[in-house]
Every structure is written in structure tokens, then in C-alpha cells.
Amino acid sequence: MVIVGIDARSLSELQDWPWPRRYHADLINRIATAAPRRLFLDIDFSSRSNAEDDQLLESALATWKGEPVVLPAFYQQASASERRLLLTEPLPRLRRHAVLGSVNLLPSEDGLVRSMQTVWDVDGRQLPAAAALLHGLPQDSSDPRQWIDFTIDPASFRYLSFIDVLANGVSAEHFAGMTVFVGATAVELGDMIAVPLHQSLPGVVVQALAYETLRNGPPAKLRPPLYWLALSAAIVLLTFLFGRQSWQRNVLVTVLALAAVACVCLYSYTVLNTILPVVPAAIAIALAYLLSTLRSLQLETLRALSYALGFRKRDALLKSIVLSSSDCIVCIAATGKIMTANPAATALFACPARELQGCSIFEFLPSLADGRSGASRFGALSGDIAEYTARTKKGDEFPVELSLSRVRFREEELYTAIVRDISERKAQQHQLQFQATHDPLTTLPNRPALAARLDSVLAQRDAKHPVALMMIDLDRFKEVNDTLGHNVGDYVLYEVARRLQRIVGERGFIARIGGDEFALVVENFAGLSEISALSQELVDSLKRPVETCGIAIDVGLSVGIALYPQDAADAETLFKHSDVAMYVAKRSGSGSGFEYYDTASNRHSVRKLSILSRLRTAIAEDQLQLHYQPQVNLATGRVESVEALLRWEDASLGAVRPDEFVQLAETTDLNQSLCRWTLVRAFEQSVAWRRKALEVRIAINVSARVLQDVRFPRALADLMQEAGVSTEHFELEITESAMMLDPQRAGRVIRELSDAGIMISVDDYGTGYSSLAYLRDLAVHSLKLDKSFVMNMQQHDHDRVIVESTAQMARALNLKVVAEGVETGADAVMLRDAGYDYGQGYWYSPALPPQELANWVRKFNATASPPDVRRLSL
Ligand code: C2E
Ligand code: CA
Ligand code: CA
């Protein structure tokens, strides 16, 4: 393509403008010599010039070889007021030798020409555009609009100056096969068109560009599905990106994305000759940004909304908790004024809600007020939980637990008080405290309570203000419990406690410290006479029997008194010494009484206590022994029975006399185990002797206490069965005084034993004042006259009378009679003559260890003869 321009140089050299048409004819002829492909003269030939020049131009066109020359035609408005379009065409004589091509270029709304219309259809006449004509009409005229590619550089075209062509002609090299455009390029000719990119270009150049655009083929458009797909993908990506970062960053991304789109579009347009619609992409990016921003905004809003909702819900929950709380919750100002209170508060203080509000808290919690200013007082209390006494509106007091906490509310210092009624808890605590310090049966204070009381009392007292501790122990209570059962025992204790309490009243502190033991602390007394009087009152209170279930139960009591600080320097010793005094009172035997502690009895009692403690081990470790003393049949002179007597040699105490430790054991729980030990041992010995063919009956001493135990006969039967002894192998010795302690109960046990075939001997007969009728009814087997009568019968007539009359009486009752304490042969003769069946004493032998006794008996029986014979032999 070559552009022959009517440029400024041409204009200046060919001065007479408008040029005579012979110049144009000349130009055509000169170009024709170079055989170009086609020629387009973009010059207006619509008006007539002089005939000669028109003729010359016509003939130049007519002689043109090849494709006919293209001449311009254009539509323009008929007049300023008329919208009808008129076609301005070259003169008909010229038109005959050429084809017409439209040179109309319609600007866009901004005044720039961007496209051409390839075909014009006005009033039913079709006119192709010049460029389209030169290139060959487009087949598909459905879209007559065609973009002009302004990225084609106009400088890339070959330009020749009109004047040069006229002056020098054209070289075939430059024109052969070319499409030649001829038109005004000089600015002063005014044929300038506003275009994008280049601002303005001469009309002919724009036509050339249009032609070149058609030649290159119109810019391709991306196929819609692909484009939209890519666009959607980009949007998704962007939306994803936008969703992840702040809106500020998103702005940057948006700008970058827009720039990238512009670059891509530009690149695709210039390099790939492909138009990418930049606007939808830009809109989409902007939309994506907008949407994601909106979406995040919405999320934020939703979040804020749900937070607000949650807050309100929590608020409502808190409120309902406060309202329904069983604890009283009160909000108070630093002055103590009640700001608000929940329903529990109105209930607690028995004050209507509207009256409560505005009241001072001190009206209900007076102990909260302490004279300090509210803020410092409440500040000091807040955070703690403490107990106070609260008051209802009416003035009823009750204990509460209060926790105070400070709250800052709208710059105001407030306090919340949670108040809980703890009356029930207090009552419970009180009850627990009572249970811990009181005996449930008698409701008297217990031993720990007494100890605590004694400690606190002793701490305040001195020699000028002595304290008396009185130990009170019931007599014969064990028997009551054992025989009448625990229910009766409990009732007796209850009744005794009631009587003692009534007597003591405010004079002292009385406690039950053990099974049947009570203790009394007396602080304020004028002198010992007052203590003695009180003790006597206590003793006398049990003179009247305790009655229950129709039985009159006779229990007594023994009182031991020790004084602080005279008798003891501390509580423990005071306890011990009053206990010793009580023991002494009990042993003094002549019924119930009281006794003061004195050091002499204490010395004894130390021995007693150590005997008891060592006896316990002696029984457990089998350190006791049984010795046997023969009983001689006075008629035959043979030994038929022996009496088992306890012997105890203690490592530190030495030999302890049996009557001493047996009596001690009787006052304690050791009695039972000692009795059992003796029975078991004696039964074993009996079996062992019979195995060695030594046939002697064993007389076993049993304590008075077993007679009070109704279970004794059963236990004895069991022991007999275990050892393999029967009733003829032994007899039981029970002292007459023991029988007379509680004749009825003792009688029951004795009868049960003798019914079982067990022989019973009344020991120490003559000391217990038993009636003969009673002995007869008991069905005992023999009487054993106390040794004191025997030992004195030679000297004292009245003892001899007793010895003799006892024998006669026993014979009358069909009882055997035994004499103990036979110390001389004369005694033996005299006793035999008086009618005694058996004699026992040092005259024959003291109690011997089993082996020695066996040897002694064998030897003795081998030479057996009646007493008088023996006396002769001596
Ligand atoms: P008791 O039952 O009257 O025992 C007789 C006591 O008189 C024995 O003293 C014995 O050794 C002593 N005796 C024997 N012949 C003569 C004599 O000719 N002249 C003198 N003066 N005394 C004689 P013992 O062994 O010291 O026992 C004293 C008391 O201890 C017993 O008196 C008895 O009441 C008690 N006793 C001893 N062993 C037992 C026992 O196993 N069980 C029980 N419950 N008491 C026992
Ligand atoms: Ca005896
Ligand atoms: Ca005796």
C-alpha cells in the first residue's frame, strides 16, 4: 500500500489551489505506468471544474487498466434542519469510469472515530465503504460495523509526495501490485479526523488504516464461553482472595487485578490481535471486591448482632439467677443505702421490696456498722465471708453468713452483699457439738467435755480457791446389766443421772465418763463440810431403789473425792486420785459412802493397781499356779478330795496372797478370766490324775461374783465337756457371805448347778449369817466351817460349841461337814468325835504343787488309819 499525499510541499510547489484536474489526470497516468493493483483517489470530484480539465481526468480514468479506480462518495445531511441524508458523488462523467466507495466515518459519542461501516444502506441503495471495496467486500454483512485497528502504526505506510510523483513519475518497483491511496495529508487542507491513540489523522490515512485493518483480518474476539469461563475462574479466585484479607489489602488487589486485566487486554489486542472485553472484567473485579467486602461486612454485622443477642441472653440469665436465688442478694451504696434487692432479700428480712429499697443495710445488719466510713468499712470487708447476726424488720434476730464484694458501676462505688440464713446450719452445728460433748443416754456431758471443763477450771484456780473432783461409781450395776439386760441397765443409768443432776443443779459440773461412772467438778465451795454434805446427798439419792417394769432395783454409789491443788497438781493426777478415793470408798464395804483421797490409801492403791495390771498378764501368760491341799476323811483316814488353791509368784511383786488378788480381781473384768483359768486348770489336773490312777475329787473355789451371772451354769457345763470331767470329779466352794450378797439371784444359780448334779460346798461357814432354812432350800452338798472356829475351839468354849452344833445341825439337814484349819492331831480327833466328815489343815499338809501332792496322797493313803490311831503312832 502506498499513500500519495497532497502534502504541504506539494501545495507550496503547485501554487494554484484548488488544483486544476489535469494534475490529477497526470498523476493517474503516471501511476498507471507502474501497474499498481488498485487506485483510490480520496479527492472530492463532485463539482464541475473547467471542461478541459474534467475531460483530461475522465480520459485518464477511462484509460486506466485493471480494477477500476475507486472514487469517494459520502452521505451528508441535506441541510442543518433536515435530517435526510444526501449522497455526494463524483461527476457522472467521472463516475462512469470508476467505482464508488463511501468515505463516511461515524465518530463515537466522544467524537473519536473508532470504526467504519463496511456497507451503507440508505434509501434502498447499498454503498460499500472505500476500504471494504479495495479489500473485497465482506461476505457476511450481518455486522456492517468494523473496528479500525489504530494500533497499526501509520508511519509504517509508504508515503510519496504528490509533487514528487508528478515531477519524477513512479518506479514500478514501488507501485507494481500495490493499492495506492491518494488524498490530502496537509493539515491546512482540513481533512483531519479525530481518532484514538493518534489524536487526529488525515482522512486518507484513516482510510488506509481501515483498509489495512481489513487486510489483517479483523481483530479476533475471544470465544464467549472461554472468556466467561476464564472470567468466572478469576472472580472465584479473587473472591477467595478477598475473603481472606482486610479490605485495605483487597483494594490493592483490586487495583492490581484491574491493571493486570488492562495489560492482558492490551497485550492480546496488540500482539494477538484479539479483543478482550476489558469492561466486563473490570466490572466483575470491582463487583467481586464489593461483594466480598459486603459479605465480610455482613459477617461482621451478624457477629455483632449475635454477640449482642448473646449478651442480652446472658444478661437475662444473670437477672433470672439473681431473681430466683435462694440467697439474698442486696446491692448497697458506700453509705449503706440499699439500692436494690432480690425477692429472697424481702423474704429474709421480712420487709416488702419497696420499703427495703432506700433503707440502710445497718437496719438489718446492725453489726456491720462500726463507726468507720462506708467505703473503708465495706472495702475492708469485701472479699471475705463472715458470720453476723441479722434482724428482720420486726426485730427477730437470726445468724447469717455474709459475703461482700465491690463493684464499679458507672463511676459509682457499689457493693453486693450475698446474705444467707444459716440458722439451720448453726442448729446442726450446735447439735453436732452437743453430740460430741454429751452422752446420748443421759444427755449429761461426756468424758472429753469434763476433761475440757476441768482444764479450763484448773487454769483459773489456786490454793485459795480449790476445786473438788468427785468420782462417782455405781455399786452392783454390773449385776443389774448382766441379769436384767441392757435395757433395764440403760434405764437405771438414765434415772441415776437424773437424780444426780437434780441434786447437783448449779453447784457443779456433772458428767458421765464411763459405763457406770460419773464425775462431778465443784468449783465454789465454802469448805469440806459442804463437799461432804453434797456427797452424802448424792449417796442418799440412791437409797430409794430405781423402779422399772415392776422391779425395784437397789443400786448404791461410792464417791471418791480429790482436791486441787492439795491432792494433785494437774487434771490427770486429780482424776487418778479421786479414782483411788472412790476405790477406797467401795472397799470400805459397809454399803455406799464417800471417801476423801489420802496419801496412805494411795500407797496401797498403787500396789493394787499394779497387782491388777500384772495379774492381767499373769493370766494371759499362764504364770499362775494351782496348789492342792488334801481333805482327809476322818472316819477312814484316807484322802478322797483336795482343795485347789491359787498361787502366784510375781517377778516384781513377789508372792501375792490369793485372797488379796482374788478380791481385787472381783472388782474388775479380770474376775471372769481368772475364774475360767482356775476351772480349766483344775479340770486338766483332774483328768491327768485319773490317768495316773489317782482318784481324788477337786474342790474348786469360785468367786461370789459368778453367782450373780446367770450364764455361769451353761459356761461351766461347756468347760466340763471340753475337759472331759463329770460332776463326781469336782465340787465348787462358794463362800457363805457371797451367797448372802443377793440371796435370791445366788440361790437361782446354785439351784441350777445342784440340779445339774454339781456338788456345792458352803465355804467359810459361820461368817455369813445364813439361815438354815435357806441352806436347806439351796440343796448344797456340804458345809465347810470357817477355820477361825476350828483354830480356836481348844481355847474358847463358845467356838467349840459352834463347831459341835454346826456338825449336829448339818447332820440333821443331811449335809456333809468339813473342818478347815486342822492344825493339830487333837483337833482332828475332836472333829471326828464331833461328827465331822472331813478335815483339812496344816496338821495333814499345806497346799502342795500337783506332783508333790500326788506323791503325798499315795503315801498317805497306803498307811491310812483313823485319827486316833495316827495320834498314837505320833
Ligand atoms: P479359803 O477358801 O478359806 O482357803 C483356805 C485357806 O486356809 C487357804 O489359804 C489355806 O492355805 C489356809 N489353810 C489351810 N489349812 C490351814 C491351817 O491349818 N491353818 C491356817 N491358818 N490356814 C490354813 P490361802 O491359800 O492363802 O487362800 C486364802 C483364800 O484365798 C482362800 O480361802 C480363798 O478364799 C481364796 N482362794 C484361794 N484360791 C482360790 C481360788 O482358786 N479361787 C477363789 N475364788 N478363791 C481362792
Ligand atoms: Ca475354800
Ligand atoms: Ca475357807
Side-chain angles (χ1 to χ4, degrees):
M1 190 182 62
V2 179
I3 296 170
V4 177
I6 302 171
D7 52 4
R9 199 154 56 82
S10 303
L11 284 179
S12 72
E13 287 189 20
L14 300 171
Q15 297 234 321
D16 42 349
W17 184 263
W19 287 339
R21 283 181 181 159
R22 84 179 70 108
Y23 289 177
H24 301 300
D26 201 9
L27 186 87
I28 293 168
N29 290 335
R30 281 183 178 274
I31 292 172
T33 60
R37 193 178 70 85
R38 206 130 197 210
L39 176 64
F40 169 43
L41 288 171
D42 188 12
I43 300 167
D44 181 13
F45 295 125
S46 57
S47 56
R48 228 181 285 272
S49 69
N50 68 64
E52 190 189 349
D53 280 287
D54 287 351
Q55 179 58 48
L56 278 172
L57 184 58
E58 184 186 350
S59 56
L61 288 172
T63 54
W64 179 266
K65 304 273 188 315
E67 302 264 333
V69 173
V70 178
L71 291 180
F74 58 95
Y75 291 100
Q76 57 186 339
Q77 247 169 284
S79 68
S81 59
E82 212 178 332
R83 292 196 65 94
R84 188 168 56 91
L85 287 179
L86 285 181
L87 187 63
T88 306
E89 296 175 281
L91 297 172
R93 59 190 298 182
L94 302 178
R95 210 162 59 198
R96 268 206 301 274
H97 308 291
V99 288
L100 297 183
S102 157
V103 289
N104 280 86
L105 290 168
L106 285 179
S108 314
E109 292 192 339
D110 57 359
L112 299 182
V113 169
R114 286 196 174 80
S115 62
M116 65 177 148
Q117 193 158 333
T118 51
V119 176
W120 290 81
D121 195 345
V122 181
D123 298 337
R125 184 181 164 184
Q126 293 211 326
L127 183 72
L133 201 61
L134 289 167
H135 175 252
L137 284 170
Q139 297 301 309
D140 172 30
S141 58
S142 62
D143 180 15
R145 230 170 107 86
Q146 176 73 58
W147 294 102
I148 299 169
D149 186 357
F150 287 98
T151 60
I152 299 168
D153 187 3
S156 67
F157 301 153
R158 176 180 294 276
Y159 292 91
L160 287 175
S161 183
F162 197 101
I163 186 67
D164 287 346
V165 174
L166 280 191
N168 310 326
V170 293
S171 64
E173 172 200 349
H174 287 144
F175 278 75
M178 292 288 176
T179 301
V180 182
F181 286 71
V182 181
T185 57
V187 178
E188 54 264 52
L189 292 178
D191 186 14
M192 295 301 285
I193 294 169
V195 294
L197 243 57
H198 310 288
Q199 289 183 335
S200 68
L201 287 173
V204 69
V205 176
V206 177
Q207 293 297 343
L209 278 173
Y211 169 75
E212 192 66 19
T213 304
L214 289 176
R215 243 168 52 101
N216 288 351
K221 275 191 180 168
L222 203 63
R223 269 186 294 154
L226 202 66
Y227 175 77
W228 292 114
L229 207 70
L231 199 63
S232 319
I235 302 300
V236 169
L237 186 76
L238 276 176
T239 318
F240 175 71
L241 265 180
F242 286 155
R244 315 204 63 180
Q245 28 196 29
S246 68
W247 66 269
Q248 293 99 325
R249 276 184 146 226
N250 285 349
V251 170
L252 194 74
V253 171
T254 308
V255 170
L256 286 177
L258 286 174
V261 163
C263 288
V264 166
C265 287
L266 215 63
Y267 175 80
S268 113
Y269 187 51
T270 52
V271 179
L272 307 173
N273 193 29
T274 303
I275 293 176
L276 293 180
V278 67
V279 177
I283 291 176
I285 288 168
L287 221 65
Y289 171 73
L290 213 70
L291 279 179
S292 63
T293 310
L294 273 178
R295 201 183 60 131
S296 73
L297 264 178
Q298 205 176 5
L299 273 178
E300 285 304 310
T301 320
L302 274 178
R303 218 169 286 156
L305 213 69
S306 78
Y307 183 76
L309 274 177
F311 198 77
R312 284 184 59 178
K313 245 166 116 181
R314 250 202 325 274
D315 214 38
L317 181 68
L318 273 176
K319 199 167 173 182
S320 80
I321 288 172
V322 169
L323 285 179
S324 62
S325 167
S326 59
D327 285 342
C328 137
I329 301 173
V330 188
C331 182
I332 44 184
T335 56
K337 190 175 127 185
I338 296 177
M339 311 297 286
T340 161
N342 70 347
T346 67
L348 188 73
F349 298 126
C351 179
R354 66 197 133 68
E355 279 180 47
L356 203 60
Q357 207 150 335
C359 270
S360 168
I361 189 75
F362 307 130
E363 204 174 299
F364 303 102
L365 284 158
S367 38
L368 258 189
D370 68 349
R372 269 192 288 171
S373 83
S376 69
R377 174 183 49 236
F378 291 146
L381 293 177
S382 69
D384 289 346
I385 297 179
E387 291 181 4
Y388 295 93
T389 302
R391 210 154 55 184
T392 62
K393 189 162 187 291
K394 266 169 46 192
D396 299 335
E397 296 200 328
F398 57 98
V400 292
E401 182 186 81
L402 177 132
S403 76
L404 203 68
S405 46
R406 191 209 312 258
V407 266
R408 278 209 143 267
F409 183 70
R410 294 185 190 146
E411 295 309 302
E412 215 182 329
E413 186 106 318
L414 294 180
Y415 294 86
T416 2
I418 300 179
V419 190
R420 181 175 294 179
D421 182 354
I422 52 169
S423 317
E424 218 164 283
R425 194 212 291 169
K426 282 269 156 197
Q428 251 170 25
Q429 276 174 357
H430 198 263
Q431 195 185 340
L432 281 177
Q433 171 78 13
F434 187 86
Q435 280 171 3
T437 54
H438 287 76
D439 160 45
L441 176 65
T442 62
T443 71
L444 288 180
N446 57 12
R447 179 183 275 272
L450 179 91
R453 175 62 177 245
L454 201 57
D455 280 342
S456 81
V457 164
L458 294 193
Q460 301 159 13
R461 311 300 289 191
D462 51 41
K464 279 192 198 141
H465 305 95
V467 179
L469 177 65
M470 300 160 74
M471 199 63 69
I472 304 164
D473 193 274
L474 298 192
D475 300 333
R476 297 182 294 278
F477 176 72
K478 279 230 152 48
E479 286 76 7
V480 173
N481 233 1
D482 289 349
T483 54
L484 298 174
H486 287 271
N487 283 344
V488 174
D490 283 355
Y491 177 77
V492 170
L493 281 174
Y494 169 79
E495 174 61 19
V496 168
R498 210 175 54 82
R499 290 187 191 179
L500 298 181
Q501 172 82 82
R502 203 176 322 136
I503 288 165
V504 172
E506 296 297 305
R507 287 190 275 179
F509 180 89
I510 187 162
R512 178 181 174 213
I513 58 169
D516 60 352
E517 282 178 30
F518 298 83
L520 171 62
V521 181
V522 184
E523 284 179 63
N524 301 308
F525 51 91
L528 287 190
S529 58
E530 197 176 321
I531 296 294
S532 299
L534 178 58
S535 302
Q536 194 57 57
E537 275 185 72
L538 292 174
V539 170
D540 290 347
S541 74
L542 292 191
K543 288 261 160 74
R544 181 164 52 85
V546 175
E547 295 198 26
T548 179
C549 314
I551 318 171
I553 299 163
D554 204 7
V555 284
L557 56 79
S558 308
V559 182
I561 308 156
L563 299 167
Y564 170 87
Q566 291 90 318
D567 298 335
D570 56 80
E572 199 189 327
T573 322
L574 191 63
F575 247 108
K576 218 167 82 186
H577 288 178
S578 61
D579 202 53
V580 167
M582 187 274 290
Y583 190 85
V584 172
K586 228 181 191 34
R587 291 307 313 172
S588 67
S590 58
S592 304
F594 62 92
E595 205 75 52
Y596 285 93
Y597 173 80
D598 75 80
T599 35
S601 73
N602 186 39
R603 226 175 287 124
H604 278 116
S605 81
V606 168
R607 177 175 162 82
K608 282 172 190 163
L609 291 176
S610 78
I611 286 177
L612 281 176
S613 87
R614 298 198 62 91
L615 181 61
R616 194 177 294 276
T617 14
I619 295 170
E621 293 175 4
D622 219 8
Q623 290 163 2
L624 300 174
Q625 287 177 323
L626 277 182
H627 283 191
Y628 298 89
Q629 188 178 29
Q631 294 180 334
V632 178
N633 184 325
L634 294 175
T636 62
R638 287 178 63 86
V639 174
E640 287 170 8
S641 57
V642 292
E643 181 181 4
L645 292 163
L646 274 167
R647 293 294 176 262
W648 178 27
E649 186 82 31
D650 181 74
S652 63
L653 296 166
V656 187
R657 285 198 8 246
D659 36 5
E660 188 179 10
F661 69 79
V662 165
Q663 237 178 33
L664 272 178
E666 278 179 1
T667 63
T668 70
D669 61 321
L670 279 177
N671 184 55
Q672 213 169 3
S673 46
L674 182 65
C675 182
R676 187 187 158 85
W677 184 92
T678 312
L679 286 166
V680 169
R681 265 304 145 91
F683 286 169
E684 279 173 7
Q685 195 57 67
S686 169
V687 172
W689 278 335
R690 263 185 288 127
R691 233 181 256 136
K692 291 180 181 167
L694 185 67
E695 291 289 341
V696 284
R697 199 169 61 240
I698 300 180
I700 306 168
N701 294 286
V702 289
S703 140
R705 284 278 296 275
V706 302
L707 293 186
Q708 312 295 326
D709 185 358
V710 289
R711 290 165 303 182
F712 176 70
R714 174 82 248 143
L716 182 67
D718 288 345
L719 287 177
M720 284 166 61
Q721 201 184 349
E722 270 171 48
V725 295
S726 51
T727 51
E728 75 266 18
H729 298 137
F730 71 98
E731 63 185 57
L732 298 181
E733 287 189 10
I734 302 167
T735 58
E736 188 190 21
S737 53
M739 288 181 178
M740 299 316 290
L741 258 180
D742 187 346
Q744 269 163 11
R745 205 182 313 162
R748 226 172 43 218
V749 175
I750 291 166
R751 193 159 307 110
E752 203 174 324
L753 290 170
S754 60
D755 284 353
I758 292 166
M759 291 177 277
I760 292 165
S761 175
V762 181
D763 201 355
D764 300 346
Y765 181 75
T767 59
Y769 317 102
S770 56
S771 77
L772 280 176
Y774 173 70
L775 292 179
R776 189 191 53 215
D777 290 349
L778 280 182
V780 295
H781 161 260
S782 64
L783 295 183
K784 195 172 178 183
L785 185 67
D786 190 66
K787 55 182 175 283
S788 58
F789 303 106
V790 177
M791 276 150 48
N792 293 328
M793 65 178 178
Q794 306 279 5
Q795 291 85 14
H796 303 292
D797 283 350
H798 59 267
D799 282 337
R800 202 181 60 245
V801 170
I802 289 175
V803 169
E804 286 169 354
S805 63
T806 299
Q808 284 165 15
M809 183 198 67
R811 290 202 165 276
L813 288 173
N814 206 14
L815 297 170
K816 293 263 184 256
V817 265
V818 185
E820 61 179 5
V822 182
E823 294 190 347
T824 63
D827 289 344
V829 172
M830 191 170 175
L831 288 165
R832 189 208 55 185
D833 292 346
Y836 279 80
D837 300 291
Y838 298 96
Q840 173 186 355
Y842 296 160
W843 167 247
Y844 298 110
S845 165
L848 295 173
Q851 189 52 50
E852 280 179 45
L853 185 274
N855 294 340
W856 188 93
V857 170
R858 283 185 212 284
K859 221 170 117 198
F860 187 84
N861 281 356
T863 56
S865 59
D868 48 346
V869 175
R870 181 161 293 275
R871 190 177 49 179
L872 288 176
S873 73
L874 284 166

